Amino acid sequence: MPSYHFPPNFLWGAATSSYQVEGNNERNDWALAAWQGKVPVCGRAVDFYNRFEEDFKTAQSLRHTAHRLSLEWSRIQPEAGRFDAEPVQQYKRMFLSLREKKIKTVVTLHHFTNPLWFYERGGWFNPESVDSFAAYVKAMTEEYAPLVDYWITINEPMVYVYNGYVKGVWPPFEKSLKKAVVVLTHLTQAHLEAYRIIHEARADTKVSFAKHVRVFNPCPSYNLGQNNLIAYLRNKIFNHRLLEYCRKKEALDFIALNYYTMDFVKWSLSRTAGIECTHSHRRLKKNSLGWYNYPEGLYALLMGMKRYRLPVFISENGTSETDDRAYRAYLLSHIQAVGKALDKGVDIIGYLWWSLIDNFEWDKGYHAHFGLFSVDEHLQRIPKPFAYLYRDVCARNGF
Ligand code: BGC
């Protein structure tokens, strides 16, 4: 395996999100859906809300230099117009703890969950959603602007819309393309507003939304011409449309990129955007969730980011496996892809593994294991051996 040396100041670390790790978040749309039996119960998660100090110490001992976490809007603003001082202080303690450990702070303002009051008013379908989000962002930036190094406004808008409004497997469980378009428009406006507000509070800060990118490979069976077209269109629309738009509006300081896997896609009579092909065409390895391990995809997508002339921060990359060898293989091959892209002139400033710790994986509940750590029933953190391999990469700034 060739060796790679990353640029000085390259950031290494891991990512988490509030609902997935904190525990006892009961005032949001996911908690409601769990109570209604529509999605798994999250419950106490891994109690990160109270145990963050221990987890940050571990991250520090693993030589992480950046950590991404999200603010739980429903905790901070449990009712319309009312901000709760206790969580605001608790997040401040988290940021100060990171700072003290010389770990850069990457903060997401919206990572899939919505406060109940917001949800009951129609969520992101309501045109007032943009103003509600903006008020929350304003309050947060006034509080935290000096303590945050990188802001991520909204995590994966397209994934949120697809799962919540097209596939209907996440709250609000809608299957309406018309609504999906409206919601995506509001999320985009919310990002533009948030970008402006955050810069008003601190001009030199860095802001992006987190873009989930996937590789779309044409299913090599019959209809190859049409399948190629579907793959091309999906790449253009899913991976690039929003980035292009926000870049044009000058509302991106860097590109936060989340990458996991690849899909084979094919043409279909009934769906303009084609469909995913579920046959296994190649002997590619899959993870425990059935996702292809495809580091070539990360390299190709990173190369595709050159056109934006912005630094790229890999804000999530990871896998769920059952044995350590598979984690190691995924980790090294993806970091190698990052190294190769750096060599080819892509400006990449950091890499965050998803996730620091096994956690609540949305509609899959606790059946996925993305963490560098697992947890037992007493919430003891147990390192997986590949966490030490990653530590060595972070410590050497390459491999
Ligand atoms: C999301 C995470 C999720 C991860 C693994 C990302 O798209 O941001 O919340 O846990 O994928 O599925």
Side-chain angles (χ1 to χ4, degrees):
M1 191 178 265
S3 65
Y4 289 96
H5 292 286
F6 285 65
N9 302 326
F10 190 87
L11 297 170
W12 297 99
T16 53
S17 92
S18 54
Y19 192 63
Q20 294 180 270
V21 293
E22 282 182 358
N24 302 322
N25 277 310
E26 299 298 335
R27 287 170 180 252
N28 67 30
D29 47 355
W30 273 83
L32 174 69
W35 186 76
Q36 293 168 335
K38 295 179 179 167
V39 293
V41 173
C42 178
R44 67 181 178 169
V46 296
D47 194 26
F48 173 83
Y49 192 69
N50 298 305
R51 297 176 195 226
F52 69 87
E53 184 58 33
E54 176 191 342
D55 290 335
F56 291 163
K57 274 192 185 142
T58 311
Q60 186 186 31
S61 74
L62 293 174
R63 308 292 294 269
H64 294 191
T65 50
H67 184 80
R68 174 178 174 212
L69 54 80
S70 74
L71 300 175
E72 179 59 37
W73 184 9
S74 64
R75 212 189 257 280
I76 290 172
Q77 201 180 351
E79 288 159 31
R82 181 170 78 80
F83 289 86
D84 191 342
E86 190 280 328
V88 171
Q89 283 313 312
Q90 185 72 343
Y91 287 115
K92 193 169 271 174
R93 284 181 208 109
M94 292 186 196
F95 301 153
L96 290 171
S97 164
L98 287 171
R99 178 149 290 201
E100 180 197 290
K101 296 176 181 59
K102 299 198 167 34
I103 297 176
K104 295 274 186 215
T105 307
V106 185
V107 175
T108 314
L109 286 153
H110 184 275
H111 198 121
F112 298 154
T113 55
N114 297 296
L116 268 183
W117 58 266
F118 176 89
Y119 185 70
E120 278 158 5
R121 293 173 176 189
W124 288 100
F125 186 63
N126 184 340
E128 283 168 19
S129 55
V130 180
D131 288 345
S132 305
F133 183 69
Y136 153 69
V137 174
K138 191 155 172 39
M140 294 304 94
T141 46
E142 276 165 10
E143 233 14 274
Y144 303 130
L147 296 175
V148 175
D149 299 293
Y150 295 89
W151 290 96
I152 294 180
T153 55
I154 295 169
N155 184 60
E156 304 185 338
M158 305 279 279
V159 173
Y160 174 79
V161 170
Y162 181 68
N163 285 323
Y165 290 86
V166 180
K167 225 173 151 198
V169 291
W170 287 5
F173 308 100
E174 299 266 6
K175 287 186 182 173
S176 156
L177 259 182
K178 265 195 189 152
K179 282 195 173 175
V181 172
V182 173
V183 168
L184 189 59
T185 310
H186 291 157
L187 287 168
T188 310
Q189 286 167 357
H191 166 75
L192 299 181
E193 262 306 280
Y195 180 90
R196 192 186 56 74
I197 293 167
I198 300 169
H199 276 284
E200 250 170 35
R202 198 180 131 190
D204 68 341
T205 198
K206 305 274 177 253
V207 185
S208 178
F209 65 91
K211 182 71 196 86
H212 181 104
V213 284
R214 301 171 87 82
V215 168
F216 301 105
N217 276 332
C219 161
S221 59
Y222 55 97
N223 287 332
L224 190 57
Q226 282 104 318
N227 298 353
N228 269 328
L229 182 66
I230 293 297
Y232 167 81
L233 287 176
R234 281 207 183 195
N235 179 47
K236 206 169 153 52
I237 295 164
F238 184 86
N239 289 333
H240 288 286
R241 185 54 70 77
L242 211 52
L243 284 174
E244 277 162 4
Y245 183 77
C246 292
R247 180 70 173 120
K248 223 161 118 191
K249 293 273 173 192
E250 300 189 352
L252 284 176
D253 302 313
F254 66 102
I255 297 176
L257 211 72
N258 296 352
Y259 174 78
Y260 290 87
T261 190
M262 173 266 275
D263 293 320
F264 280 110
V265 291
K266 61 181 181 187
W267 179 79
S268 147
L269 253 185
S270 57
R271 304 265 302 269
T272 346
I275 52 172
E276 274 130 51
C277 181
T278 47
H279 298 296
S280 292
H281 299 285
R282 292 198 221 161
R283 289 175 195 275
L284 288 174
K285 253 198 81 39
K286 288 186 177 177
N287 75 3
S288 73
L289 302 173
W291 303 357
Y292 288 112
N293 289 350
Y294 195 62
E296 300 86 337
L298 178 56
Y299 173 72
L301 288 161
L302 284 169
M303 294 299 286
M305 294 297 137
K306 264 188 169 180
R307 73 184 77 165
Y308 299 109
R309 296 206 185 86
L310 286 173
V312 177
F313 196 156
I314 297 165
S315 41
E316 288 181 30
N317 176 232
T319 191
S320 169
E321 294 288 0
T322 45
D323 78 281
D324 205 67
R325 276 178 55 176
Y327 280 116
R328 296 166 82 92
Y330 186 98
L331 174 74
L332 287 184
S333 58
H334 284 74
I335 290 180
Q336 195 180 0
V338 178
K340 251 174 75 182
L342 272 162
D343 277 358
K344 294 274 182 220
V346 186
D347 180 13
I348 308 165
I349 56 173
Y351 174 92
L352 303 178
W353 177 263
W354 181 271
S355 176
L356 184 62
I357 192 160
D358 283 351
N359 58 46
F360 177 78
E361 178 56 29
W362 307 113
D363 50 310
K364 297 178 190 67
Y366 288 100
H367 292 296
H369 303 106
F370 285 88
L372 294 166
F373 282 71
S374 58
V375 274
D376 67 12
E377 69 278 18
H378 307 296
L379 298 184
Q380 286 301 316
R381 280 61 172 147
I382 304 151
K384 300 180 193 172
F386 85 100
Y388 297 115
L389 172 70
Y390 185 43
R391 175 198 59 194
D392 294 344
V393 172
C394 304
R396 286 183 197 143
N397 196 26
F399 63 93

